Amino acid sequence: MSFAAAIRSVFTQYVGFKGRARRSEFWWFYLFSALVYIVASIFDAMLGIDSGILGLIALLALALPGVAVAVRRLHDTDHSGWLYLFSLVPIIGSVILLIFFAKDGTSGLNRFGPSPKDGPLQDGVTGATA
């Protein structure tokens, strides 16, 4: 999945917590989020805004799609989206999530739907055959 396709996919499913997200979709979106935050922080500094309001706006605007794509990524590895709450546990929670996010997704159908790696089927739906 390309950078642009990943960003488009995440924003198309802005608050979609169902289904699965490919590894590339997840990591491209997080790269995009980091770049947007860096650019917003640079603009804050150039404009002399000490409060960092542009960075905060960027962070808030990208928070919900970020959580949604993280939950879909956990679904792709056949884990519950509730495991995203591990991010609240200092250090070890982030390490556990990093391992889950880096894992390859389950092939074929899992309890959260068809694999996003499998191409479109005859009826236009993506995923594996049963």
Side-chain angles (χ1 to χ4, degrees), residues 37-57:
Y37 183 74
I38 289 168
V39 168
S41 297
I42 290 170
F43 276 118
D44 275 336
M46 286 176 27
L47 297 173
I49 302 172
D50 291 332
S51 64
I53 191 73
L54 296 178
L56 180 62
I57 290 170

Side-chain angles (χ1 to χ4, degrees), residues 52-80:
I53 191 73
L54 296 178
L56 180 62
I57 290 170
L59 184 70
L60 291 174
L62 296 173
L64 192 55
V67 171
V69 75
V71 167
R72 289 195 314 271
R73 179 71 201 126
L74 286 169
H75 287 174
D76 192 40
T77 59
D78 204 19
H79 292 92
S80 170

Side-chain angles (χ1 to χ4, degrees), residues 88-108:
L88 300 174
V89 178
I91 302 169
I92 192 72
S94 298
V95 170
I96 291 170
L97 285 175
L98 181 64
I99 292 168
F100 288 154
F101 293 150
K103 276 179 48 175
D104 194 18
T106 56
S107 60

